Amino acid sequence: MLYTKSMNITSRQSQIRTIKPGDKNFTITDGLVVTNRAGFEVGANCPKEYRSVLTMALNAGWIKPIAYVTEREMLFMGLTNN
């Protein structure tokens, strides 16, 4: 006699969402200032040549800032229109 045991597989979807430039919630505002939610900071000690390469890559679109938010934050942003 052949016995088989059933197996349950539960999948779970991530609650983390990626926001990219151009997406509705990529910019944030406090009523006075509108700014991007994510960006890059290049240190003052970064050699000029590297800074130039980073600038070229950003301008060419090879490197882009992205932000990560939870689904709950996305819902809250939608409810507050921010």
Side-chain angles (χ1 to χ4, degrees):
M1 187 178 277
L2 179 65
Y3 292 99
T4 60
K5 188 174 184 178
S6 65
M7 181 175 16
N8 292 329
I9 298 175
T10 304
S11 66
R12 185 174 167 264
Q13 191 173 24
S14 174
Q15 298 294 306
I16 298 173
R17 301 291 174 253
T18 303
I19 303 175
K20 298 178 180 181
D23 290 349
K24 176 182 155 195
N25 293 312
F26 191 75
T27 57
I28 55 176
T29 183
D30 67 356
L32 296 173
V33 177
V34 176
T35 189
N36 290 334
R37 189 173 293 280
F40 301 97
E41 181 176 342
V42 179
N45 295 333
C46 180
K48 191 168 126 178
E49 298 81 14
Y50 289 92
R51 186 180 301 262
S52 176
V53 169
L54 288 170
T55 300
M56 181 178 64
L58 285 165
N59 289 339
W62 302 332
I63 299 174
K64 297 176 185 174
I66 60 170
Y68 295 105
V69 295
T70 63
E71 202 165 271
R72 182 177 178 180
E73 290 170 311
M74 290 286 287
L75 177 63
F76 183 73
M77 287 184 277
L79 291 174
T80 60
N81 294 320
N82 287 336

